[in-house]
Amino acid sequence: MNRLWKITAWAFVALISMQPSVRAQRSMVNESLLQKLQMAEIYVNNLYVEKVDEEKLVEDAIRGMLEKLDPHSSYSTPKEVKAMNEPLEGSFEGIGVQFNMVEDTLMVIQPVTNGPSEKVGIIAGDRIISVNDTAIAGVKMTKEEIMRRLRGPKGTKVKLGIVRMDIKDVLSFTVTRDKIPVKSVDAAYMIRPEVGYIRIGSFGATTHTEFVEAMEKLQGMGMKKLVLDLQENGGGYMQAAVNVANEFLSKGDLIVYTEGRVTGSQRYEAKGNGRFMDGEVVVLVDEYSASAAEIVTGAIQDNDRGFVVGRRTFGKGLVQRPIDLPDGSMIRLTVAHYYTPSGRCIQKPYTKGDKKDYAMDVYNRLKHGELTSIDSIHFADSLKFYTLKQKRLVYGGGGIMPDFFVPLDTTLYTKYHRQLAAKSIILNANLRYVDKYRKKLKAAYPTFEKFKETFEIPQSVTDNIIKEGEKKDIKPQDDDELQRTLPYLKAQMKALVARDLWDMSEYYSIFNERSAIVSKALQVLKAEPEPDSQPLP
């Protein structure tokens, strides 16, 4: 019986976790079908012509059941569960450095402020060449293996060998591992007078706390309007999204509701204790904004609390219930749908069992012109909904349609640029430049404001990027493609240098000045002159 525990446990755990009224209906479960499944596993394991991996056999059986349901019901191994939960839980245990690989050597970009590495004297630019006297540089060790060696339980010690510029000998540091925070608010700064900008990368356990801290900081700097950037935000915890939306809405305003066959209907309403219930808000979204990000966006749009700028969101409106299995693995089973306050189902259409077509949805949008031309966007009358207060027209059909459409600029990201980025030529050029000139840059630009206003990437740096590309047979198609690539490349390099000298807020402060979506948001907030607008048809 021991070999059958997983294949049966998932079913019983699922039943036990349900409401009492559901458990009372356990008689509805056809025990002969469960028996059939058990017998199939026994016979395959004992009689098949070749020896089978029983663990994999059981896991494949579980995956086989789930993949015929919907695109988001899934099974995860214990290792996958840990990797999936870590960014959402708000912390992990390790040495506390941001790093990148330069060729085959780990280089510290920044130590985490007040983290264990900073406390012992590790600084930006240091190269970690050994961990507990085992070489990790020059031995072609994978990034995953290096991270495994650096991470460990809080309180444990790890000995690091460090090479530092201008110091001949290898330095030795003993770092006591600790809890390292994982931030989900990527950036927060004043983008214009009285206009704040906050970017949320995902919705995790600490997102609401981080968001409130960012808002209070910006309000202290005079923020009266807010650009809330949820582009490329793949979602996370629903409760974190509800808490963030609550900061903008009046008491009793509906944030989101769910409908499920077994779970019934659940409503989530604002408490009326938000910290930004009056200032103007614009939410930025794109085709990769999903799930929890769509909950916040839909709540703000449907309650006429603010406008949405960008492109239609991903359309992930299926509610998963996590079901933990005894060995640390997990089933995430879809139990309900998300609906915006106006009644729009967030989930885009899908065919059960056809995950390939579902995964190609964004590509198909690009192919059909939805991402690049407003003229390609059409809606059936059945997809029309109205906001709750001002009765503005909004659209269903999966995802959140913006109030103001901003097309994807396919000319901005040239094929040449994409190839340079894919081969890490741009990133490596940035790392080498900052590594070589960090002290001089810090001395020349004591403040970010001076850096942003006056710094330009030297021509020699872009020349070297072009040469490195040529070495890997990456060349522009013609001079026109090169000239279209250079302005964006230089802006990207400047933003990366700012990130390495300061942090992500400074990166976005530079990067956003070239963003059409951000520019449109500022126009909607009347913080910039507005050209011809493109409201949805």
Side-chain angles (χ1 to χ4, degrees):
M1 286 300 293
N2 186 51
R3 66 175 182 266
L4 298 176
W5 70 265
K6 183 181 283 187
I7 204 165
T8 56
W10 77 271
F12 291 119
V13 171
L15 288 171
I16 290 170
S17 66
M18 291 181 180
Q19 301 169 5
S21 61
V22 179
R23 292 201 301 268
Q25 300 175 25
R26 287 178 59 185
S27 59
M28 296 176 61
V29 178
N30 192 326
E31 293 185 4
S32 67
L33 294 179
L34 188 57
Q35 205 171 37
K36 180 179 178 179
L37 188 63
Q38 293 173 331
M39 289 177 67
E41 194 277 340
I42 292 172
Y43 283 125
V44 171
N45 186 58
N46 287 280
L47 296 179
Y48 185 64
V49 63
E50 296 173 0
K51 184 173 178 57
V52 298
D53 182 337
E54 191 172 7
E55 183 76 9
K56 186 175 184 301
L57 185 68
V58 171
E59 290 180 348
D60 287 347
I62 296 172
R63 287 192 175 97
M65 284 185 277
L66 297 175
E67 70 181 10
K68 299 299 182 182
L69 301 179
D70 64 81
H72 296 293
S73 289
S74 62
Y75 168 81
S76 301
T77 65
K79 184 178 180 181
E80 291 167 343
V81 171
K82 184 178 180 182
M84 178 175 59
N85 286 340
E86 200 169 72
L88 297 177
E89 290 174 350
S91 68
F92 64 92
E93 295 177 346
I95 65 170
V97 294
Q98 299 176 36
F99 71 90
N100 221 314
M101 301 300 295
V102 179
E103 296 173 350
D104 61 353
T105 303
L106 185 155
M107 188 174 83
V108 176
I109 303 299
Q110 292 284 358
V112 173
T113 303
N114 295 321
S117 289
E118 185 184 68
K119 288 177 180 177
V120 300
I122 293 174
I123 62 175
D126 282 353
R127 288 164 167 77
I128 301 177
I129 62 168
S130 66
V131 179
N132 290 331
D133 298 321
T134 298
I136 64 169
V139 294
K140 298 190 182 302
M141 188 177 291
T142 65
K143 187 175 180 179
E144 291 73 20
E145 177 62 19
I146 292 172
M147 290 177 64
R148 187 187 69 80
R149 292 172 181 270
L150 292 175
R151 291 186 178 185
K154 176 181 177 180
T156 59
K157 297 181 183 296
V158 59
K159 180 182 176 184
L160 305 178
I162 300 283
V163 171
R164 182 171 294 171
M165 188 174 287
D166 300 329
I167 294 181
K168 182 179 179 181
D169 297 328
V170 175
L171 304 175
S172 180
F173 293 89
T174 298
V175 180
T176 302
R177 297 182 179 99
D178 204 346
K179 285 278 188 182
I180 308 301
V182 177
K183 298 292 186 181
S184 55
V185 171
D186 294 335
Y189 69 98
M190 294 298 292
I191 192 168
R192 294 290 185 272
E194 298 189 346
V195 182
Y197 169 93
I198 299 177
R199 181 182 177 94
I200 302 178
S202 62
F203 285 90
T206 62
T207 300
H208 180 241
T209 300
E210 293 176 47
F211 180 68
V212 168
E213 290 173 354
M215 273 206 307
E216 290 179 343
K217 180 187 79 170
L218 297 184
Q219 285 173 325
M221 299 169 68
M223 178 180 74
K224 292 182 172 60
K225 304 176 182 180
L226 174 65
V227 176
L228 176 60
D229 191 348
L230 301 182
Q231 294 178 89
E232 299 181 4
N233 183 316
Y237 294 149
M238 181 190 72
Q239 192 57 52
V242 169
N243 291 343
V244 168
N246 180 72
E247 295 298 330
F248 301 100
L249 301 175
S250 301
K251 185 175 183 179
D253 283 348
L254 182 59
I255 296 172
V256 67
Y257 68 93
T258 64
E259 292 279 359
R261 178 179 65 88
V262 174
T263 58
S265 178
Q266 290 183 286
R267 293 169 58 88
Y268 299 83
E269 297 179 350
K271 300 175 182 176
N273 59 351
R275 296 164 178 80
F276 201 75
M277 296 169 62
D278 298 317
E280 294 180 55
V281 182
V282 170
V283 184
L284 310 185
V285 296
D286 62 13
E287 54 277 8
Y288 299 107
S289 306
S291 187
E294 294 173 296
I295 290 174
V296 174
T297 306
I300 290 175
Q301 187 181 53
D302 282 4
N303 284 291
D304 293 294
R305 182 60 188 85
F307 291 107
V308 179
V309 171
R311 295 179 291 278
R312 178 163 66 97
T313 60
F314 183 85
K316 197 275 185 185
L318 297 176
V319 184
Q320 281 75 51
R321 171 177 288 175
I323 301 170
D324 297 318
L325 300 181
D327 67 339
S329 59
M330 177 192 288
I331 289 172
R332 291 177 58 81
L333 189 67
T334 297
V335 296
H337 286 88
Y338 288 125
Y339 292 86
T340 71
S342 68
R344 293 179 288 169
C345 181
I346 293 174
Q347 180 61 41
K348 61 188 175 185
Y350 62 89
T351 301
K352 288 186 177 181
D354 189 356
K355 290 190 177 182
K356 182 179 179 180
D357 186 63
Y358 188 82
M360 294 292 288
D361 178 65
V362 172
Y363 171 77
N364 290 333
R365 293 191 204 182
L366 178 62
K367 184 178 177 182
H368 299 149
E370 180 188 320
L371 303 184
T372 55
S373 173
I374 195 169
D375 295 330
S376 299
I377 302 174
H378 305 284
F379 300 97
D381 288 344
S382 61
L383 299 180
K384 291 182 178 179
F385 291 77
Y386 295 91
T387 59
L388 302 183
K389 297 175 183 177
Q390 297 178 12
K391 305 303 177 183
R392 294 185 301 114
L393 181 62
V394 290
Y395 297 94
I400 306 296
M401 292 301 305
D403 299 297
F404 296 90
F405 172 78
V406 179
L408 178 67
D409 188 351
T410 55
T411 64
L412 185 64
Y413 311 101
T414 64
K415 181 180 179 181
Y416 178 52
H417 178 273
R418 292 196 300 271
Q419 290 176 323
L420 291 172
K423 294 292 184 179
S424 298
I425 293 171
I426 298 172
L427 182 61
N428 288 336
N430 165 72
L431 293 172
R432 287 193 295 268
Y433 176 73
V434 174
D435 186 41
K436 185 175 182 180
Y437 295 106
R438 185 184 298 272
K439 289 183 180 179
K440 290 182 178 179
L441 288 167
K442 281 286 193 181
Y445 303 99
T447 66
F448 171 68
E449 288 70 23
K450 182 179 180 181
F451 175 91
K452 184 177 181 180
E453 183 179 346
T454 63
F455 176 80
E456 296 291 339
I457 286 289
Q459 184 64 40
S460 60
V461 175
T462 53
D463 288 344
N464 285 334
I465 290 174
I466 293 169
K467 290 177 182 177
E468 286 298 314
E470 290 174 348
K471 290 179 183 178
K472 297 186 178 182
D473 200 30
I474 299 173
K475 301 176 183 178
Q477 185 176 1
D478 49 36
D479 187 63
D480 176 64
E481 185 178 29
L482 175 62
Q483 296 308 316
R484 285 189 290 114
T485 300
L486 287 175
Y488 182 79
L489 174 62
K490 290 179 179 179
Q492 181 185 25
M493 284 291 293
K494 181 175 179 177
L496 288 170
V497 172
R499 178 202 66 181
D500 293 351
L501 295 180
W502 288 279
D503 209 337
M504 290 302 293
S505 289
E506 287 74 19
Y507 171 88
Y508 282 105
S509 180
I510 290 173
F511 189 81
N512 284 339
E513 295 304 312
R514 294 187 62 85
S515 167
I517 288 182
V518 172
S519 178
K520 183 62 184 178
L522 294 173
Q523 292 161 17
V524 172
L525 290 172
K526 297 181 173 53
E528 277 190 1
E530 185 166 1
D532 295 336
S533 64
Q534 281 194 310
L536 284 169

